[in-house]
Amino acid sequence: MEMNSLKPTDFDFWLNVKTRWGDMDSLGHLNHTVYLSYMETARVSTYMDLGYSGIRNDTDESTILASMEVHYLKQVNHPASLNVGHRICRVGKKSFDTLSAIFNNKNDELLCSALFKLVAFNYETNQTIMVPEIIKRHCRPFE
């Protein structure tokens, strides 16, 4: 998987976002943290699309972010309409990876990509757990 050449067809779940004036930094383009916020919103949206309730800390089955690798490829200026793609691309025993990318809604240009490593987690016991079946069923590894 080449993080700088991802295409919309590489993704299974989608969220459209529109930039906000306050998303810009003092240089006039989107702040780097905003990309991560969009991707987090897409991850939560993906969980909801799957029917997975693991977005809360008061359940025995949730997730916790372990690490991320982010590639910022193009500047984005406000206003813009963006498509955020999401894909579960690897599943282990207690962890899984999700791939996310942000594309320009007008021309599908890749703007940012990221790989997130998540751990299946029980917040009540404060321990890792096995990856839920619903996550396993929706994994589409890269060949």
Side-chain angles (χ1 to χ4, degrees):
M1 159 186 48
E2 178 58 44
M3 297 290 285
N4 297 342
S5 61
L6 295 167
K7 301 175 294 304
T9 55
D10 292 325
F11 296 90
D12 301 319
F13 303 94
W14 289 95
L15 179 71
N16 179 266
V17 294
K18 297 200 182 305
T19 62
R20 303 171 303 168
W21 178 260
D23 292 343
M24 290 187 297
D25 61 19
S26 63
L27 300 173
H29 56 252
L30 293 188
N31 183 280
H32 67 282
T33 62
V34 172
Y35 294 85
L36 298 175
S37 177
Y38 294 161
M39 291 177 179
E40 180 180 45
T41 300
R43 184 171 61 247
V44 170
S45 177
T46 297
Y47 285 169
M48 293 170 66
D49 288 348
L50 294 176
Y52 177 57
S53 61
I55 58 173
R56 298 172 38 173
N57 68 356
D58 62 348
T59 64
D60 60 356
E61 188 178 271
S62 191
T63 59
I64 192 166
L65 180 63
S67 67
M68 63 183 136
E69 174 186 332
V70 184
H71 299 257
Y72 298 97
L73 305 169
K74 302 280 184 176
Q75 294 182 44
V76 177
N77 297 306
H78 176 75
S81 179
L82 309 172
N83 289 321
V84 184
H86 207 74
R87 172 181 179 166
I88 301 166
C89 60
R90 183 200 64 86
V91 172
K93 290 174 82 175
K94 294 186 174 187
S95 66
F96 61 99
D97 295 350
T98 63
L99 181 66
S100 191
I102 300 176
F103 296 89
N104 185 316
N105 191 29
K106 290 182 181 177
N107 59 12
D108 287 338
E109 180 180 29
L110 179 61
L111 306 170
C112 182
S113 62
L115 182 66
F116 298 95
K117 295 193 178 294
L118 296 130
V119 175
F121 200 76
N122 180 325
Y123 281 91
E124 292 175 355
T125 63
N126 203 37
Q127 294 181 4
T128 59
I129 58 173
M130 301 300 279
V131 172
E133 286 300 318
I134 198 162
I135 299 294
K136 290 179 184 178
R137 281 195 307 269
H138 290 88
C139 179
R140 185 166 60 109
F142 280 91
E143 297 175 9

